[in-house]
Structure formats: structure tokens, C-alpha cells
Amino acid sequence: MPRMEGIRCQIRALRAERRRWKADMERFKAEQRAARRSGGTMPENPGPPPTGFALLPWLLLGMGSFSNLLQGRTPNPWIGGLGLFAFNSLYIYVTFRAFTKTTREARSTRVALVLMGVITCTLALGYGGSWLYFFPLLGLATGAVVRGPWLGRIGLGLTALAAAVAVVRAGWDAVNVAYGTFLSTMVTAAILSLSEAVRELRAAREELARRAVEKERMRFSRDLHDLLGHTLSVIVVKSEAARRLAPRDLDAALVQVTDIESVGRQALTEIREAVTGYRQGSLATELDGARSALSAARVEPVVRQSGPPLGPQTEALLGWVLREAVTNVVRHSDASRCEITVDGTADLVRLTVSDNGTDASPAEPESGVGGTGLKGLTERLATAGGSLRAGRTPRGGFEVRAELPVEAADLTEASA
């Protein structure tokens, strides 16, 4: 029963592999037609999946022995027939298990290969002649199963064994038997190893392409979250200010409306840049935007900036942090004062955003779309060699502190 279950599992695996190959071929044909219409590069043909069927035709090497059995030229034909049947059965069993790493390295496969060697030696010593050509078949099965550093030693050992047995039965013809055994072992192992490497490289290339698409999708979702979250918050706050000011001070309300228009235009520009992946934030611009957003939300902004000049990637990352922190102050806190401090040394810069609100941003990172918010910023800064900490202060407010090298890693990599 376990053997039958194993056979059924192999049949199911072969059918699944064949279905995958058919799907790959359909995709290949569709890409081929698209490439012909557009004049682009032709896709690579995936080809059929490698299976034991590719090694079955080599069993024709045993047709000479089978012919001798039918013509009655073999003494003890029942023994020879049983040996031929056992060898062919073990050969099929081994070769069909050679294309999957787990089954190839299983103990049962190695035991079957050893039994093939015993049967080959017994038949070759007992009958000689065309029965010696089972050694190249044994070498082919060995090359299909054995890989790695032991291949050379096993191949030479099998060649020496074939030469020794052939010398006893065939004399100088042992050179051909030994050469065929060595060649079939090494060439089979080389071809199958190369085929497996090609399949792994193809799979790795597809995985890299999938990750690149996922990385770009994540960058785009994070940028949109950070851009639109902040911009919409500013628009809402300024719209409320314009509504409050309109009945009693129309000029002040018009100023707020003008700011809304300016913020909207800037948001459109930033979204276009985010889509193309060329957005580089300016810390000075973000500080001005933070002052404006906080003032419109009736929060007193206190900005202090000192330290050495920053690299463009560092400014961009700190701009993201400042934008997210100020957006959280406007959205989630009832603070009346927000302090923004940028300072540092020649190697490290620190941005601190703290408020005096009693219901500030939650201590847990914001979940956001695609894992954005404070959690996404923490990942970005960690990738760029920095860190981000956020939480409530002993005085009751909320504080966001980011530290980065003055020259941070590339922003595109940090967005991954």
C-alpha cells in the first residue's frame, strides 16, 4: 500500500507539472503574439517539463539482450528474463525519481541504484556479450541521481567496475564498455544539472520581476498615503478656518481659500512626481508647510533648526517623517503647541516633533494603506540606516523622534 500511494503521488505530481507547462505554453504563445504585433523582443520558450520519459529511449540499449532471450541464445533464459525485467523496472523507478530533489536524495532511490549495480554485474558476468551494455545504462541512471562533489568519484568507480567485469567477459572490448559507462554518467549528470540550473534561474528571474512590481506598488501606495493624508488634512483645516472667518472677515477667509488653492496645486505636482518616482522632498519646504498647517489648525508652531547641511536623501526622508507627524498632530490631538526641532552632528541628524495634546496620536504605528503611516516610516528609516521612535511623553504630549545619517541611503531603496 505505501508503494502504491507513492506511485499515485508521483502520477499526481507529473499531472500537476504538465498542467503548469500547458499554462506556461499558453502564456508564452500570448506573449509571442503580442511581441509580433508590437515588434518587441520575442519571449523565451519554456519548453516541456523534464521527466523520466526523456531517459526511457535509452532502454533500447538492452534490445540485444532481449533478442538473445527470444532466440534462445541465452542459457537459463528464465534467470535472464527475470534479471532483464528487474533491471528495467529499477531503471524506470530511478529515472522518474531523479527530477525531484527530495525523491532523488531519498534512501529508497539510492538503494534501487545499488540493486541496479548488483543486477548489472551479475548479468554481465553470467552472460557477457550484449549484456555488458547494461553498464552504460547504469551509468546514465547514476548520472541522473548523483550530483555534487561525489559525482566524479562515483563515476570513476563505476567506470573501473565496468572495465573489470568487461575484461573478464570481453577482453579488449572492455575499453568500449568502460568509455560508454563513463561518458553516459558524466554527460547525463552535466545535462540534467544544467537544465536544473536554467529552471532555477528562470524561477529566480520571475521572482525578482514579481518583487520589483511589488516594491513599486508599495512605494506608490506609501507615497500616495503620505501625500494625500497630509494634503487633505491641510485642506480640511483651512476650509474650516475659511468657513469660520467668512462671516466676519472676508479678506482673511480669502487668504485661507488662496492657501487651499496653493496646497491643491502643490499636491497635484507632488502626485505627478510620485507616480514617476522622482519626488525629492525638501525639508525647508516641509517646515514651511508644517507651520502653515499647524497655524490653520490653531496650534502654535515652534520650529528650531541647526546643524550641518543635509544630503538630499536625508532631507527627503525627514520630510516624510515631518509630514506624517504634523498630520497626526492636526488629526488626532487637541494640542495648542507643537515643537519641531532639527539638530545634529557632522554624522547624525535628529528630527523631533512633540506636542502638548492630551489625546495625541496612538502609541501603536498607524496601520494605513499598505502598511504605511509611522510603521512604514520606521521601515524606511531602518533601511536607510536610521531609526524612528514614537510615543507619549511624561508631560502628557506625544513625541516623534527620527535619527538618520547626514548622508542616508538611496530613497528608492529606503522605500522598499
Side-chain angles (χ1 to χ4, degrees):
M1 292 300 294
R3 181 179 297 274
M4 292 301 296
E5 183 62 28
I7 294 174
R8 284 194 290 268
C9 289
Q10 291 185 26
I11 293 174
R12 286 195 295 267
L14 289 174
R15 289 176 178 173
E17 188 68 29
R18 183 170 179 81
R19 286 194 296 269
R20 284 194 294 268
W21 173 65
K22 287 184 177 180
D24 290 342
M25 286 302 298
E26 291 177 359
R27 184 168 62 251
F28 162 73
K29 291 178 181 178
E31 293 175 354
Q32 192 178 47
R33 288 192 295 268
R36 286 173 180 172
R37 287 194 297 267
S38 62
T41 304
M42 297 297 291
E44 182 182 357
N45 191 335
T51 62
F53 289 106
L55 302 179
L56 289 185
W58 294 102
L59 285 175
L60 295 175
L61 288 174
M63 287 300 295
S65 304
F66 184 70
S67 177
N68 290 340
L69 284 174
L70 292 180
Q71 295 175 9
R73 298 179 183 177
T74 302
N76 300 318
W78 287 105
I79 297 177
L82 288 174
L84 182 62
F85 176 77
F87 180 88
N88 289 342
S89 300
L90 289 172
Y91 177 85
I92 294 173
Y93 176 79
V94 169
T95 52
F96 271 86
R97 292 172 64 87
F99 291 90
T100 305
K101 186 176 181 180
T102 54
T103 57
R104 181 173 67 236
E105 296 178 352
R107 180 179 299 179
S108 57
T109 306
R110 305 299 173 92
V111 171
L113 193 62
V114 172
L115 290 177
M116 282 182 64
V118 173
I119 294 174
T120 302
C121 292
T122 303
L123 294 176
L125 287 172
Y127 297 116
S130 59
W131 296 85
L132 293 171
Y133 291 103
F134 282 104
F135 274 109
L137 278 173
L138 177 61
L140 192 147
T142 302
V145 171
V146 180
R147 311 285 173 85
W150 286 95
L151 175 63
R153 302 175 188 177
I154 294 176
L156 291 176
L158 182 59
T159 302
L161 177 62
V165 174
V167 164
V168 175
R169 297 295 305 185
W172 284 104
D173 196 44
V175 175
N176 295 329
V177 175
Y179 177 73
T181 302
F182 180 78
L183 195 64
S184 63
T185 303
M186 295 303 175
V187 170
T188 303
I191 292 176
L192 294 184
S193 298
L194 181 61
S195 175
E196 188 172 328
V198 170
R199 294 198 306 273
E200 291 177 354
L201 288 174
R202 183 179 297 160
R205 184 176 60 186
E206 293 176 355
E207 178 66 16
L208 288 175
R210 186 190 66 80
R211 290 188 178 184
V213 173
E214 184 179 350
K215 171 182 175 181
E216 183 63 16
R217 186 183 296 116
M218 183 66 70
R219 180 199 68 82
F220 185 61
S221 65
R222 281 174 171 167
D223 285 0
L224 282 182
H225 172 273
D226 293 339
L227 287 170
L228 295 181
H230 174 79
T231 302
L232 293 177
S233 297
V234 173
I235 290 176
V236 168
V237 170
K238 287 186 173 293
S239 299
E240 292 177 349
R243 177 176 55 81
R244 290 193 307 267
L245 293 172
R248 61 178 184 273
D249 192 345
L250 186 59
D251 291 337
L254 289 176
V255 171
Q256 297 296 331
V257 172
T258 303
D259 289 344
I260 293 173
E261 180 184 3
S262 176
V263 170
R265 292 182 183 278
Q266 180 65 24
L268 287 174
T269 302
E270 291 177 343
I271 289 175
R272 294 191 189 101
E273 293 174 349
V275 170
T276 56
Y278 295 119
R279 184 175 187 273
Q280 296 292 336
S282 168
L283 187 58
T285 302
E286 296 296 342
L287 289 172
D288 292 339
R291 289 192 186 95
S292 176
L294 291 170
S295 298
R298 297 182 178 180
V299 180
E300 179 188 358
V302 179
V303 180
R304 305 183 185 91
Q305 186 175 8
S306 62
L310 306 178
Q313 306 302 335
T314 302
E315 284 206 9
L317 286 171
L318 291 181
W320 285 118
V321 176
L322 178 61
R323 177 184 288 259
E324 181 68 23
V326 171
T327 300
N328 287 340
V329 172
V330 173
R331 282 181 177 177
H332 304 296
S333 82
D334 57 354
S336 60
R337 178 184 174 90
C338 179
E339 297 184 4
I340 302 172
T341 305
V342 181
D343 60 358
T345 63
D347 301 322
L348 188 69
V349 62
R350 181 186 301 106
L351 168 67
T352 305
V353 180
S354 59
D355 60 65
N356 62 349
T358 58
D359 185 23
S361 302
E364 296 297 327
E366 186 175 310
S367 57
V369 178
T372 48
L374 293 179
K375 180 180 178 182
L377 289 172
T378 302
E379 296 172 356
R380 291 190 185 194
L381 266 65
T383 305
S387 63
L388 185 142
R389 292 186 297 274
R392 293 183 175 85
T393 63
R395 294 175 295 177
F398 193 83
E399 181 179 272
V400 176
R401 175 171 296 186
E403 295 183 352
L404 269 174
V406 173
E407 293 291 340
D410 185 75
L411 181 59
T412 303
E413 298 176 0
S415 300

